[in-house]
Amino acid sequence: MREKILQHEQQTLERKISTIEGIIKEMSYVSSNKNIDIQRDKINQKRINRYLQVLETPYIGRLDYEDEFGKEICYIGKFPVVKDHTQDIVYDWRSPIGDLYYGFHGGTGKEKVKSPLGDNEVTVLLKRDLIIKERKIKSFKDTVSEMLRQKGSVSTKAEDETYVDDYLSNLLIASSSEHQLKDIIASIQRDQNNLIRLDMSKPIIIQGAAGSGKSTIALHRISYLLYRFEKQLRAENILIIGPNEMFLSYIHNIVPELQLEKVSRSTFNSVAQMILPEMNALPELHSLLGHIVEKKSSLKNADFVGRYKGSITYKEMIDTYLKQVLNEENLKFDALVLNDKIKLLPVEVGKKYRGYGHLPIGLRRRKLVESLETWIKEQLNTSIKQMEEEYEEFKFNWIKILPEGSPLRRDLSENLEQAMKFKRKDLKDKFNKAWKSYKEKLPLINTFSLYSNFLTKEVLLALDDSLTEEQALLLCKEESITYEDSAALLYIEYQLNGFPLKYDYLVVDEAQDFSPLQVYVLRLLCRSMTLLGDMAQSIYSFIGMKDWKELIGSVFAEEEVNKLELDISYRSTYEIMEAANRIMENACLSYPPIMPVNRHGEEVKVTRIQSEKELLDEIKASVNHLLQKGYKKIAIIHKDLKRSAPLYKRLAQIYSNIQLIENSNEPVTAQLVVIPSYLVKGLEFDAVIIPNANESNYSAEPLDAKLLFVSITRAHHEVLVFYHNQPSLLLRGIYEEKDIKGPTEESIL
């Protein structure tokens, strides 16, 4: 039976490929016509390129359904393929037919399809997932409705769940030469599909386990929203905020597949600098964490400062302070006096100012200045015009009566002209001097000076009586602006001047590393947003959140936000995810265990090494073994850069295609990568090697546990762990426990 289905689908595939090739040939002929207009030719070329892209894999599945007009068989793919602008050869995965395909998981099959004319009821009969590679049907998986079973068209035997997992495994195990996010249109699962197709009106918080596909799903969601709401949503008005430039470069590689070329991508620092260019030297988060990890300095002070300055309480303190120093009820203006006759009374200046009451307070003052300058210009022009009229009248009465060509007439005319120029300049100078003096007295507000005045021990203690003097000094001890201050500065800037830009939709990845105040500020930038992250990977806890609940009731009202959880990991094997779960359990961190997809592989291998030389030999043997297996991306993830750099120097003498990643702005390009643990979030590799997971490098502290957890969950297929002296307590249950003693730790260990 399976062979017959494969044969039938292969024949269908060949016919559709032939049809698509015919469409390409026809469009190419039209484009070669010299009479074709430029716009039509551009559209044609775009379609030709798209169709050429899909020739090897035109679609990813088939859907059979019945409606009042009869039975339909549709094929669903990455891009729609249409013949003669009317006949659908392949349907877009984001179309209403795509909704049916992804939304059907068995049962009665009774569904509704949205159309411009209303909802149509249909009965889904069959959903067939297909794996196509190089124009060949490799495998398929059927999901059938009760109606089709009752008709006896298929076996009534329950669907084999093992086979379902095997099908998904075939999609997931394909080794890629890239280190970035992958196109997952063919493997979208039920929980992911529900998330992609949520309405865009409510903000969404997505708690996604490592490997759950949350980042890729967020991109697919943007693609879906742009397709379904093309009249309300523009790609140029969507912003993706990623943790660093490295992550954003990976997004760039999947964007063309999803037609998101015009969607903006940025980091929080870049957004901050765009709004406030003076914040041009803020350190990246990875450098702050790297310092903490390498120096083994206490997180206590950093945690207090970061979390306090990132809290909604801090925002409320700023609100109170602004209300005090910018109390407009007590605001009084002086009269603007240009000369004895021309003046603007205080009540008139105040009236102009209050006319801008709908604007932010800083912008209100700026508009007042512009308004006063306009008034002064009008008064100057009026005065000059009056002088010129007096000049013309004098010329008429005194100069024109004198004989033409007489020395008296000539001298009087020249002197009068010089006097006119002097008087005009004198008037301008006096007006400018009066305005300059008045302008300097106006209460104009600067964001940075206002924040500097706020961030003092006296003000902080006055606004929060729970603070100790020591804590207040800790909060304001920095002489320059730090990363922790950026959200507060942006909030003050918004209150003073508003934001110069506004987005329709915002996607914030690794959002657990953002403070509540950062999220609050970002929300001011957009109409709606999606936040996605994983609390188990919150390695920047000194600035970020400990729980999504910190946003509910402060940034979002509970009823206005959708919170979803993706707890199934599709990235790593069952064995790798079980080891990752054990690490969190050993650290006594109360995060829900990750549910791995049923794809088995090698056990996580933990090996003791006794010396630096033995470690190098083991890594070399392991790398060679993994390369022989055909793995195209292998990561050696050490604890920090201090250990990664010397290890890289040793390995670079052996391997040419190797790269050391030192900061989050570097793209990963080599087959073999040496990288610190705090830079690997968001990356994926075929295999991971951890050089030294001993008790010194990875204690049972939450930060160390999360760094080890993140490192292990980067691997698709295999993880090899080495340790020197005593193994980390986090590895209990993953290795055979022994009483081990060894030599002193060396430089690369």
Side-chain angles (χ1 to χ4, degrees):
M1 182 66 177
R2 288 186 62 80
E3 289 302 320
K4 286 185 178 180
I5 292 175
L6 283 170
Q7 184 179 3
H8 170 75
E9 291 296 351
Q10 182 62 43
Q11 291 170 352
T12 302
L13 175 63
E14 290 167 2
R15 287 196 300 271
K16 287 193 175 290
I17 288 175
S18 178
T19 300
I20 296 171
E21 288 176 333
I23 296 172
I24 293 172
K25 186 176 181 181
E26 184 179 336
M27 287 192 297
S28 299
Y29 175 76
V30 171
S31 288
S32 66
N33 189 336
K34 294 182 180 179
N35 295 322
I36 187 172
D37 64 81
I38 296 174
Q39 187 59 33
R40 188 183 172 194
D41 185 46
K42 283 183 178 179
I43 295 172
N44 253 14
Q45 288 299 329
K46 190 174 181 179
R47 286 183 65 200
I48 290 170
N49 292 336
R50 287 266 164 82
Y51 291 178
L52 287 171
Q53 284 181 49
V54 303
L55 271 179
E56 299 301 305
T57 308
Y59 45 84
I60 49 92
R62 162 183 163 177
L63 185 79
D64 298 7
Y65 70 89
E66 282 184 344
D67 59 15
E68 57 183 313
F69 303 106
K71 183 179 178 181
E72 291 286 341
I73 298 177
C74 307
Y75 285 84
I76 293 88
K78 296 178 185 178
F79 303 124
V81 179
V82 182
K83 184 178 182 182
D84 300 327
H85 302 284
T86 58
Q87 184 181 351
D88 292 297
I89 307 302
V90 178
Y91 287 84
D92 194 293
W93 69 278
R94 301 162 295 184
S95 67
I97 295 298
D99 287 352
L100 281 180
Y101 174 79
Y102 287 111
F104 178 65
H105 302 282
T108 64
K110 298 290 184 182
E111 302 285 349
K112 286 187 177 181
V113 180
K114 293 183 179 180
S115 73
L117 302 177
D119 293 349
N120 298 323
E121 188 171 282
V122 303
T123 301
V124 177
L125 303 172
L126 168 72
K127 169 185 172 180
R128 177 167 289 160
D129 299 318
L130 297 163
I131 296 179
I132 301 173
K133 190 174 181 182
E134 297 176 351
R135 306 192 182 198
K136 296 291 182 184
I137 303 288
K138 298 296 183 181
S139 182
F140 72 93
K141 182 198 75 175
D142 282 351
T143 305
V144 299
S145 69
E146 292 173 3
M147 179 178 288
L148 201 61
R149 293 187 188 280
Q150 290 167 4
K151 288 181 177 180
S153 302
V154 295
S155 169
T156 57
K157 182 181 177 181
E159 198 170 279
D160 182 357
E161 292 299 328
T162 303
Y163 173 68
V164 174
D165 284 335
D166 287 346
Y167 169 83
L168 184 58
S169 294
N170 287 334
L171 286 170
L172 298 174
I173 63 176
S175 181
S176 167
S177 61
E178 304 294 339
H179 296 263
Q180 69 273 349
L181 305 167
K182 298 186 295 298
D183 170 15
I184 50 91
I185 290 172
S187 62
I188 292 173
Q189 300 301 292
R190 182 184 304 190
D191 53 351
Q192 298 171 329
N193 175 64
N194 293 339
L195 192 159
I196 288 172
R197 286 167 161 77
L198 273 175
D199 184 74
M200 64 179 286
S201 59
K202 284 188 175 184
I204 301 170
I205 297 175
I206 302 164
Q207 164 57 40
S212 60
K214 54 186 177 294
S215 300
T216 314
I217 288 297
L219 297 178
H220 286 72
R221 172 165 169 73
I222 294 174
S223 179
Y224 175 80
L225 291 175
L226 284 171
Y227 180 88
R228 297 301 289 270
F229 301 98
E230 59 179 339
K231 293 182 180 178
Q232 301 102 301
L233 198 60
R234 295 171 59 84
E236 297 90 336
N237 292 335
I238 297 176
L239 175 66
I240 299 170
I241 295 185
N244 51 56
E245 294 296 336
M246 187 194 303
F247 178 85
L248 294 174
S249 70
Y250 304 146
I251 288 179
H252 178 75
N253 288 286
I254 195 173
V255 161
E257 286 288 298
L258 297 175
Q259 304 173 51
L260 303 180
E261 295 91 340
K262 295 181 181 179
V263 172
S264 301
R265 301 177 292 279
S266 186
T267 63
F268 183 85
N269 272 7
S270 296
V271 171
Q273 290 163 20
M274 185 164 46
I275 296 171
L276 280 172
E278 296 89 340
M279 288 199 290
N280 57 4
L282 290 179
E284 295 290 347
L285 266 179
H286 80 268
S287 63
L288 299 176
L289 182 60
H291 179 79
I292 290 170
V293 171
E294 291 185 13
K295 302 295 183 183
K296 293 189 176 181
S297 56
S298 171
L299 273 170
K300 184 178 178 181
N301 288 348
D303 188 74
F304 169 73
V305 172
R307 290 185 57 75
Y308 192 91
K309 288 185 175 181
S311 68
I312 297 301
T313 298
Y314 198 59
K315 173 249 175 198
E316 292 168 349
M317 289 168 63
I318 292 173
D319 286 334
T320 303
Y321 179 74
L322 292 180
K323 190 174 181 180
Q324 291 172 356
V325 299
L326 304 176
N327 187 347
E328 302 205 355
E329 293 180 3
N330 301 324
L331 188 63
K332 294 181 180 179
F333 294 100
D334 295 330
L336 174 54
V337 181
L338 298 179
N339 58 31
D340 293 340
K341 296 180 180 179
I342 303 174
K343 63 179 67 175
L344 204 60
L345 298 176
V347 65
E348 295 174 297
V349 177
K351 185 178 179 181
K352 283 180 177 290
Y353 175 77
R354 290 177 180 86
Y356 299 110
H358 61 288
L359 297 174
I361 193 166
L363 191 56
R364 216 176 302 170
R365 285 165 165 72
R366 195 182 310 160
K367 286 294 182 181
L368 174 64
V369 168
E370 292 175 3
S371 176
L372 292 177
E373 286 177 339
T374 300
W375 178 80
I376 292 170
K377 187 175 181 181
E378 289 171 353
Q379 298 306 313
L380 178 63
N381 290 337
T382 299
S383 298
I384 290 175
K385 185 178 180 182
Q386 186 178 346
M387 286 168 51
E388 289 173 344
E389 289 173 352
E390 293 173 355
Y391 170 73
E392 291 298 328
E393 184 179 358
F394 187 86
K395 280 176 62 177
F396 181 81
N397 293 328
W398 290 93
I399 297 178
K400 288 188 177 181
I401 62 173
L402 298 173
E404 288 188 21
S406 67
L408 181 60
R409 177 168 179 165
R410 184 181 64 249
D411 292 344
L412 185 59
S413 178
E414 289 177 355
N415 290 333
L416 188 61
E417 182 70 29
Q418 291 297 321
M420 181 62 187
K421 287 181 180 179
F422 173 82
K423 195 171 182 180
R424 188 188 289 117
K425 183 178 182 303
D426 183 60
L427 186 66
K428 285 182 180 180
D429 290 344
K430 286 179 178 177
F431 276 25
N432 288 336
K433 184 178 180 181
W435 169 236
K436 183 180 179 182
S437 175
Y438 187 86
K439 186 178 178 182
E440 288 174 351
K441 297 176 184 177
L442 280 176
L444 298 176
I445 302 298
N446 174 276
T447 294
F448 287 89
S449 61
L450 197 150
Y451 184 61
S452 178
N453 293 335
F454 163 79
L455 196 58
T456 62
K457 182 186 73 171
E458 293 74 21
V459 172
L460 294 176
L461 290 173
L463 292 172
D464 184 357
D465 55 13
S466 69
L467 278 176
T468 66
E469 188 167 327
E470 182 183 359
Q471 288 173 327
L473 287 170
L474 198 61
L475 289 167
C476 56
K477 74 172 186 178
E478 297 289 345
E479 294 181 0
S480 59
I481 297 302
T482 66
Y483 183 89
E484 293 90 335
D485 297 307
S486 57
L489 280 164
L490 290 176
Y491 180 66
I492 293 173
E493 174 66 14
Y494 177 80
Q495 292 298 325
L496 293 182
N497 302 310
F499 285 155
L501 62 164
K502 184 87 172 181
Y503 294 95
D504 289 331
Y505 206 81
L506 207 65
V507 172
V508 184
D509 206 345
E510 299 290 349
Q512 78 280 349
D513 294 332
F514 287 71
S515 70
L517 184 50
Q518 282 179 304
V519 177
Y520 190 97
V521 168
L522 290 174
R523 196 180 182 196
L524 297 173
L525 270 174
C526 64
R527 293 183 175 86
S528 189
M529 67 194 309
T530 291
L531 304 175
L532 51 145
D534 179 17
M535 285 299 164
Q537 299 183 64
S538 56
I539 61 176
Y540 300 106
S541 59
F542 59 92
I543 190 70
M545 290 172 280
K546 296 186 185 298
D547 196 300
W548 297 113
K549 292 177 182 177
E550 294 180 43
L551 301 178
I552 307 301
S554 56
V555 179
F556 305 108
E558 189 165 359
E559 64 276 4
E560 71 168 343
V561 64
N562 284 314
K563 186 173 181 299
L564 303 168
E565 293 191 13
L566 300 175
D567 55 4
I568 300 176
S569 176
Y570 301 99
R571 177 193 297 147
S572 307
T573 63
Y574 180 90
E575 289 75 15
I576 292 172
M577 295 317 301
E578 282 297 288
N581 282 332
R582 181 60 65 91
I583 287 170
M584 299 306 258
E585 183 182 325
N586 289 338
C588 298
L589 295 175
S590 57
Y591 299 113
I594 301 172
M595 297 169 58
V597 72
N598 191 24
R599 178 171 70 87
H600 287 277
E602 300 283 345
E603 293 285 347
V604 173
K605 187 179 179 183
V606 181
T607 305
R608 178 200 176 197
I609 48 95
Q610 298 189 47
S611 67
E612 193 174 72
K613 181 181 182 305
E614 185 179 355
L615 174 61
L616 287 169
D617 291 341
E618 288 285 356
I619 290 178
K620 180 181 176 182
S622 299
V623 168
N624 292 341
H625 176 68
L626 295 171
L627 290 173
Q628 287 173 4
K629 281 191 166 187
Y631 294 152
K632 297 178 180 178
K633 45 181 185 172
I634 301 168
I636 301 172
I637 305 175
H638 220 327
K639 175 70 178 294
D640 51 40
L641 186 59
K642 184 174 68 175
R643 294 167 176 81
S644 298
L647 177 58
Y648 164 77
K649 288 181 180 179
R650 304 286 188 91
L651 293 173
Q653 298 173 6
I654 305 170
Y655 302 100
S656 57
N657 193 6
I658 187 171
Q659 180 184 10
L660 172 66
I661 301 297
E662 298 183 76
N663 63 68
S664 60
N665 296 325
E666 293 181 63
V668 181
T669 56
Q671 186 175 26
L672 184 60
V673 176
V674 182
I675 183 170
S677 61
Y678 47 81
L679 291 180
V680 296
K681 276 207 305 179
L683 305 185
E684 300 181 4
F685 302 92
D686 290 325
V688 163
I689 298 172
I690 298 176
N692 187 13
N694 67 3
E695 60 182 354
S696 175
N697 281 346
Y698 293 96
S699 70
E701 291 294 316
L703 176 58
D704 283 351
K706 290 176 180 180
L707 289 173
L708 188 57
F709 171 86
V710 169
S711 299
I712 283 180
T713 56
R714 300 308 94 199
H716 285 278
H717 310 302
E718 288 190 48
V719 174
L720 304 174
V721 181
F722 299 99
Y723 67 87
H724 180 248
N725 284 345
Q726 292 291 340
S728 168
L729 294 176
L730 298 170
L731 297 174
R732 282 179 303 181
I734 305 175
Y735 69 101
E736 292 184 13
E737 295 189 35
K738 299 175 182 177
D739 183 20
I740 301 169
K741 292 183 180 180
T744 306
E745 185 177 345
E746 299 184 53
S747 62
I748 67 169
L749 298 172

